[in-house]
Structure formats: structure tokens, C-alpha cells
Amino acid sequence: MTQHWHAYTYTGRAYPDGAVRQGQAPADFPPFLVEDWLRRPPRSIEATFFDIDQAVGWLETQLKQNQPVDAEGIPIPERLRAARARLGEQVQKDVVWGWYTTRQDFASRALIACPRPKRHMYADDSPPPCPTP
């Protein structure tokens, strides 16, 4: 299977870890484990990218639509350069960001690499399969 990235989004209220663990956060709230994004129903995927430029373009659109409150401290072009470098690394790499917006929402955007390698060389658990085979 060709390397690609699934894009996921959440915008809304932030929840403390304890509330998330107790099931008090909505079902679309970001999971604790990055690979758990891929265990969500395929309908939760916003887009799928096979090209780094398109994936970074999607992130740019998301950042412009959901302006970070700290955009002056960490400018959008700097964030995008970091994302491009991360996605361009040889092994499957993800970009998982969360920030507060100027509208006082919590925004989470994730580009999750797929397919995933096994996490531990001797682990019996398999990585989640591609949600869109």
C-alpha cells in the first residue's frame, strides 16, 4: 500500500485528560494515542493525501480558517515548514497539532500516516488497518 496521510479535525471545547479518560469528551475529541485516529469510522476522515504539498496546503487552510492565538509568536509559515519537514522524513511520520483559536475554541488537526508500522518488534498487537482500503 502506498504511503499516505489521513486528515482529521476537531474544533470545539477543550477537555482535561481526566474528563477524556472518563468518557466526558465528545466522540470526535482527539484520542490519546495517535494511531487511534485510524480506528475511528472512515466518515471522520476529512481528506486523504498522497502528496506532501497537498497535505501541507490543507494544514495552511486549516490554520487560516482557525487562526491560532499565538500566531505572532509562532508564525503560520514557520509551522508549515516544520510540518513539511516532518512529513518528508523517511519513516511514516504524523503531524498532530492542537491550538486555541482567536475565537476561543480548541482546534486539533492531524495528518496521520498510513499504513502504520508495528509499534514494538515483539508485540502481538497489530497496527490499525487503513480505514479506507
Side-chain angles (χ1 to χ4, degrees):
M1 180 177 289
T2 305
Q3 171 70 49
H4 56 280
W5 296 271
H6 296 294
Y8 296 89
T9 66
Y10 170 82
T11 304
R13 180 180 162 211
Y15 292 84
D17 289 350
V20 176
R21 286 190 182 97
Q22 295 171 10
Q24 298 171 352
D28 62 340
F29 194 75
F32 283 113
L33 296 176
V34 170
E35 69 183 29
D36 284 348
W37 282 109
L38 298 176
R39 291 188 171 93
R40 295 196 171 179
R43 70 180 176 277
S44 63
I45 298 170
E46 293 288 323
T48 298
F49 302 103
F50 291 84
D51 177 80
I52 291 173
D53 290 334
Q54 290 177 347
V56 172
W58 177 81
L59 283 172
E60 181 176 21
T61 299
Q62 296 300 312
L63 285 164
K64 287 179 178 177
Q65 290 175 350
N66 301 278
Q67 284 285 323
V69 294
D70 62 349
E72 287 184 24
I74 307 170
I76 289 175
E78 187 176 322
R79 295 172 198 239
L80 297 173
R81 277 192 296 278
R84 181 179 305 283
R86 177 79 175 164
L87 296 176
E89 293 176 6
Q90 289 195 344
V91 182
Q92 295 93 342
K93 296 295 181 177
D94 311 297
V95 171
V96 180
W97 289 345
W99 67 91
Y100 287 95
T101 71
T102 55
R103 294 186 309 266
Q104 300 180 0
D105 289 323
F106 174 70
S108 173
R109 299 299 181 264
L111 288 168
I112 306 301
C114 188
R116 304 218 43 100
K118 212 169 185 175
R119 278 188 287 153
H120 307 287
M121 187 182 310
Y122 301 109
D124 291 334
D125 62 325
S126 297
C130 181
T132 58

